[in-house]
Amino acid sequence: VCIEAVEALDMDRLERALNHAATELSRLHLLENVVAPLMTRIGERWSEGSLRILNEHMASTVIHSFLWDLLRGSGGNGTRPPIVIATPSKQWCTLGALVAAVFAGDIGWHPYFFGPNLPAEEISAAARMVRARVVALSITFGAEPVHLGRELKRLHLALDPSVRLLIGGRATKTVRSTIEDIGALHVDSLSMFKSALEGPAAK
Ligand code: B12
């Protein structure tokens, strides 16, 4: 249903289908088995040439707004532990980060979501300002590993050493050795993210 709505540029239908899925499914299931595969499929169809850029843009816009609605209100009353979530410099795909933010909110964290393309010093400033013990990054675009590796090293140096850095997303493997060098954790899935956030050192 979702992909048909994207083909037909039917934003209302896509929104209705997503809202319906949100009431029927657990958050984890919704995010990992509906939202992510839909975007992957759109990416494949776009590569094959059977969907246009505008179909992808329409879907990204609707899904961004849908996820933002799920995220809204997950700040709580000040008792939840803060987590900073963003994508590093030159990383423009925010939906994975937004998925991680919605999920973190769902399991009791206060997500501070800052969107795409954030330089290292802004990410570290955010962590300082909201007193976050955990920073989570999403990496989707794999074609600039040298720049990205440098940004991650700069972030590592700028962050307080007690802040944990978790990194997820489909292109994380392009900077695997840097992630090891700086002692960050590669979180492969939302379940692994959950374990990391529930571990003893997390909050
Ligand atoms: C939508 C999209 C865009 C949109 C993003 C809109 C937005 N607001 O986010 C826009 C238009 C900005 C875009 C731009 C570009 N894109 Co693009 N895009 C995509 C697409 C179709 C879907 C990505 C997406 O949103 N997925 C949905 C999310 C929810 O899924 P996800 O990111 O995989 O996240 C899941 C997990 O990875 C995980 N996760 C992700 N992050 C994190 C973080 C944490 C902490 C945790 C725990 C988990 C986690 O959780 C999610 C749920 O399971 C992909 C195709 C694909 N196969 O991914 C291409 C894709 C990523 N794009 C690609 C390209 C080439 C580009 C452009 C260069 C295109 C261009 N020529 O201008 C630009 C610039 C990219 C850049 N520099 O960042 C390539 C990247 C190839 C590569 N070398 O890495 C892809 C793979 C398409 C392709 N097959 O060629 N893109």
Side-chain angles (χ1 to χ4, degrees), residues 88 119-125 135 137 150-160 165 167 182:
E121 56 275 20
E122 298 302 315
I123 299 173
S124 61
V135 170
L137 303 179
R150 219 181 286 132
E151 283 291 299
L152 293 178
K153 283 184 189 142
R154 289 191 327 116
L155 177 60
H156 171 63
L157 292 174
L159 280 175
D160 186 285
L165 187 55
I167 305 183
I182 64 174

Side-chain angles (χ1 to χ4, degrees), residues 31-33 35-37 39-44 46-47 53 56-57 60-61 63-64 67 85 90-97 99-100 136-144 166-171 174 187-190 192-193:
L31 298 171
E32 230 161 27
N33 301 328
V35 173
M39 290 310 297
T40 305
R41 187 72 196 118
I42 291 170
E44 289 163 3
W46 166 70
S47 306
I53 291 174
E56 171 279 309
H57 271 41
S60 294
T61 305
I63 289 176
H64 195 283
L67 292 173
I85 301 176
K90 297 198 184 178
Q91 295 286 324
W92 285 99
C93 297
T94 49
L95 298 178
V99 159
L137 303 179
S138 174
I139 295 174
T140 303
F141 179 60
E144 298 233 29
L166 308 179
I167 305 183
R170 58 179 300 283
T174 60
V187 278
D188 226 352
S189 62
L190 294 180
M192 201 176 157
F193 189 41

Side-chain angles (χ1 to χ4, degrees), residues 29-80:
H29 195 60
L30 172 75
L31 298 171
E32 230 161 27
N33 301 328
V34 177
V35 173
L38 174 64
M39 290 310 297
T40 305
R41 187 72 196 118
I42 291 170
E44 289 163 3
R45 294 274 310 265
W46 166 70
S47 306
E48 291 162 18
S50 65
L51 278 181
R52 304 183 68 106
I53 291 174
L54 76 91
N55 299 92
E56 171 279 309
H57 271 41
M58 171 258 179
S60 294
T61 305
V62 171
I63 289 176
H64 195 283
S65 150
F66 167 72
L67 292 173
W68 182 257
D69 281 345
L70 296 180
L71 185 64
R72 192 179 289 134
S74 58
N77 56 8
T79 58
R80 289 162 164 247

Side-chain angles (χ1 to χ4, degrees), residues 103 107 164 185 189-200 202:
F103 186 68
I107 60 170
R164 290 175 70 216
L185 181 65
S189 62
L190 294 180
S191 321
M192 201 176 157
F193 189 41
K194 184 172 185 213
S195 313
L197 292 180
E198 287 175 347

